[in-house]
Amino acid sequence: MADTTTIVIFGASGDLTQRKLIPALFNLRCKQRLPTNLQIVGVASTALTDADFRARLRAGVDQFAVAPFTENEWNDFSARLFYRAGARSVTDFKTYARLAQSLAELERGEVDRLYYLATPPQFFADIVAGLGRAGMTNESAGWRRVVIEKPFGSDLASARALNQKLHQTLDEKQIYRIDHYLGKETVQNILVSRFANMVYEPLWNRNYIDHVQITVAEEVGVGHRAGYYDGVGVLRDMFQNHLLQLLSLVAMEPPASFDADASREQKVQVLKAIRPIAMDQVEHHTMRGQYRGYREEAGVARDSQTETYAALRLFIDNWRWQDVPFYLRSGKRMAEKSSEVIIQFKQPPHLMFPNPRERELEPNRLALCLQPDEGIHLRTQAKVPDTVADLRSVDLEFHYRDSFGADAIPEAYERLLLDALNGDASLFTRGDRAEIAWSLLDPIIAAWHSPDAPLLATYEPGSWGPLDADEFIARDGRMWLRGCGRHVKEK
Ligand code: BG6
């Protein structure tokens, strides 16, 4: 990393900057992981002075940063924060010309620059074009990288068009498409569990695994984001990025090395092997729901058909995974916040224990607990003491907080910001991956919006989703599982 660096945040008056980006940068500063000579310049159309901007961010740091807030740390950090108001329209060239001038005055010399686009997605292409026209993406006086927030397009056509527009100004290696799930410790640990241990990988295939479940359940509803969310829905909001990324990590082949190209290539390969769901098969492989009361929320259309819950069954056509179903589900207003991956193994081929017939043996289950109680649980059989051979399922558990301490897990944005500054794109989405993910979802979205669309089920807020979702998986003789938390519950 060069010693002089500027981070320019577009959309700096928004929520993401206040709640996530600046607290993460503050934490990194306290850990002394940022370049010594760093300035952070916020840009947005709101009229603010540097002092207003700092005051606003101070509140965010106080509330959301992990590092203890001290006046000294804050004074040192806030002296690096600046604000430059841009024009109302992102296509107004004056903004970029003025910004270029203003940055040159702050930086005085060669500098590396990270542009972070924390704006609504419809502005991404224009901002990059504006930066390009103002000569601000030219790398002759230091590197220039652009972090693009989500969502990256809303279907294949728009993602492709966005990629094309970005590539008119930037080289792919300058583009960092963010998916904050990849910055989560537990998500990074999926590859470590699989490839730094010998016990799992020999079993990690169709011969031993019955099926895989990936659940990302949220307790919250759409809240103040209804304007964005309604018409988008959970498939676009959560599956295109987070859930398919999790699936890639669980299912990909081992890359030969830890570099960005090798691992991103394997992730793309596995997505390419997912069997596409044709429009006339959508009813068979997917189901969707909306929580009761969603249509009464502020900003939601009274007749909204937007799904707040979805479940998919996917197959991966390759040697490792042929015929192993991957069930993915995610929803808002569910019983609790919980993200987990469950690998359910097959039953042993023969049981010689005289376990009572009515008590069916639970198969082994490996649960990767991504949040909130981060860890790993392995459901295994044990003999009940003082019986001849009664069996009971017990959990072998690893909890991050026990092994590494309660505050060991940093915010996902810390790692991602640091990686972008260090030029490591491993945890960022490659352009072709975004397009392939959309190509898988487009037929589902089209079928859901067609005149003979399958049912939009309703579910109670605070439940585990629509009853139809239980029937959906029960058709395959399976049920939704919970594997994390201190007390293992089923459903
Ligand atoms: C975002 C979605 O990408 O992820 C939100 O837009 C969702 O709708 C959020 O709430 C969930 O992230 P996390 O880290 O809280 O699981």
Side-chain angles (χ1 to χ4, degrees):
M1 204 185 288
D3 238 22
T4 307
T5 309
T6 302
I7 300 178
V8 182
I9 303 176
F10 289 89
S13 58
D15 232 32
L16 183 73
T17 306
Q18 201 202 20
R19 294 167 69 96
K20 297 287 184 188
L21 302 181
I22 296 296
L25 288 165
F26 179 74
N27 286 337
L28 288 170
R29 179 78 203 167
C30 295
K31 293 182 198 168
Q32 304 191 331
R33 303 238 177 116
L34 291 178
T36 351
N37 191 6
L38 168 83
Q39 49 240 331
I40 301 166
V41 180
V43 182
S45 59
T46 320
L48 292 178
T49 62
D50 286 346
D52 298 333
F53 186 54
R54 290 172 187 170
R56 206 182 247 241
L57 299 181
R58 181 188 165 124
V61 166
D62 202 9
Q63 195 177 347
F64 302 110
V66 178
F69 185 92
T70 66
E71 283 302 326
N72 270 354
E73 296 279 15
W74 173 251
N75 290 342
D76 169 64
F77 180 73
S78 71
R80 299 157 192 284
L81 296 173
F82 304 92
Y83 184 83
R84 299 292 176 261
R88 280 245 147 255
S89 161
V90 290
T91 53
D92 188 336
F93 185 68
K94 286 197 292 294
T95 298
Y96 306 95
R98 270 205 310 262
L99 183 62
Q101 174 73 34
S102 169
L103 290 178
E105 283 160 19
L106 280 175
E107 291 161 345
R108 295 202 199 91
E110 298 210 339
V111 70
D112 293 330
R113 270 195 216 143
L114 184 70
Y115 301 109
Y116 197 115
L117 309 196
T119 63
Q122 62 271 29
F123 302 142
F124 295 161
D126 287 334
I127 295 175
V128 168
L131 290 171
R133 266 188 293 146
M136 296 167 79
T137 53
N138 180 311
E139 297 198 289
S140 56
W143 56 251
R144 302 289 181 263
R145 298 178 192 138
V146 182
V147 179
I148 313 267
E149 257 298 332
K150 62 164 284 231
F152 195 87
S154 54
D155 56 17
L156 175 59
S158 55
R160 199 175 269 162
L162 180 54
N163 268 332
Q164 276 166 2
K165 283 189 192 148
L166 296 179
H167 288 146
Q168 282 166 8
T169 304
L170 302 167
D171 202 81
E172 177 64 23
K173 72 169 181 30
Q174 293 176 279
I175 306 174
Y176 288 68
R177 297 173 195 79
I178 212 159
D179 179 331
H180 77 283
Y181 264 61
L182 296 181
K184 291 182 190 277
E185 275 298 335
T186 46
V187 173
Q188 293 163 50
N189 196 45
I190 297 176
L191 287 194
V192 174
S193 297
R194 287 188 58 196
F195 301 131
N197 293 298
M198 198 54 209
V199 291
Y200 304 122
E201 201 49 27
L203 308 179
W204 210 265
N205 57 56
R206 65 189 304 274
N207 298 325
Y208 298 96
I209 292 178
D210 175 72
H211 75 280
V212 176
Q213 294 189 14
I214 301 177
T215 298
V216 178
E218 294 189 272
E219 221 175 323
V220 293
V222 288
H224 66 280
R225 290 171 75 229
Y228 151 75
Y229 193 88
D230 197 39
V232 170
V234 73
L235 204 65
R236 288 187 170 106
D237 187 46
M238 297 295 285
F239 283 71
Q240 190 273 346
N241 37 60
H242 312 325
L243 276 96
L244 284 178
Q245 286 284 6
L246 294 175
L247 178 145
S248 301
L249 291 167
V250 172
M252 70 195 256
E253 295 302 317
S257 66
F258 196 51
D259 67 58
D261 284 344
S263 66
R264 297 202 301 178
E265 181 55 28
Q266 292 301 348
K267 284 194 209 157
V268 164
Q269 288 307 326
V270 81
L271 281 195
K272 281 186 177 165
I274 293 180
R275 192 181 306 160
I277 301 179
M279 260 182 86
D280 61 353
Q281 290 293 308
V282 164
E283 188 157 11
H284 202 56
H285 294 283
T286 75
M287 74 84 38
R288 65 191 175 131
Q290 188 185 74
Y291 62 81
R292 199 180 297 286
Y294 172 73
R295 291 178 190 172
E296 280 79 64
E297 294 204 11
V300 173
R302 294 294 164 254
D303 58 350
S304 173
Q305 293 295 307
T306 300
E307 81 287 351
T308 58
Y309 173 100
L312 307 187
R313 179 181 55 181
L314 297 174
F315 288 98
I316 300 173
D317 286 331
N318 63 18
W319 272 63
R320 188 191 282 266
W321 295 115
Q322 193 64 39
D323 296 331
V324 177
F326 282 69
Y327 299 98
L328 277 54
R329 63 173 170 161
S330 179
K332 299 231 179 255
R333 292 301 308 268
M334 292 180 64
E336 60 190 69
K337 183 176 175 75
S338 166
S339 301
E340 55 185 74
V341 175
I342 296 192
I343 316 291
Q344 167 129 335
F345 291 91
K346 293 187 172 173
Q347 292 281 17
H350 169 69
L351 270 183
M352 75 273 196
F353 307 105
N355 213 37
R357 259 179 188 280
E358 67 275 12
R359 216 179 314 143
E360 213 186 285
L361 193 70
E362 268 190 81
N364 293 133
R365 256 177 233 152
L366 182 72
L368 308 176
C369 307
L370 307 179
Q371 60 185 26
D373 182 9
E374 295 87 354
I376 297 180
H377 298 198
L378 178 62
R379 196 86 170 137
T380 185
Q381 296 301 321
K383 176 179 169 294
V384 179
D386 206 18
T387 64
V388 176
D390 248 14
L391 305 183
R392 209 176 78 194
S393 304
V394 294
D395 259 15
L396 307 181
E397 297 187 17
F398 148 59
H399 294 266
Y400 273 73
R401 63 165 179 270
D402 297 341
S403 303
F404 299 114
D407 296 330
I409 298 190
E411 249 296 323
Y413 278 95
E414 285 186 34
R415 173 68 196 265
L416 295 172
L417 281 162
L418 206 51
D419 280 4
L421 289 169
N422 282 324
D424 181 349
S426 310
L427 301 180
F428 293 83
T429 301
R430 212 169 67 179
D432 54 347
R433 186 257 166 224
E435 294 184 21
I436 296 165
W438 281 121
S439 74
L440 292 167
L441 299 188
D442 272 7
I444 303 176
I445 295 169
W448 284 357
H449 290 96
S450 71
D452 42 330
L455 171 87
L456 174 67
T458 305
Y459 62 100
E460 292 306 321
S463 70
W464 277 102
L467 292 177
D468 306 59
D470 296 349
E471 281 162 30
F472 169 75
I473 194 167
R475 287 205 294 263
D476 292 352
R478 301 190 174 94
M479 64 194 295
W480 294 112
L481 302 165
R482 300 280 329 275
C484 301
R486 287 278 177 189
H487 307 289
V488 178
K489 287 171 273 177
E490 267 189 3
K491 178 82 166 128

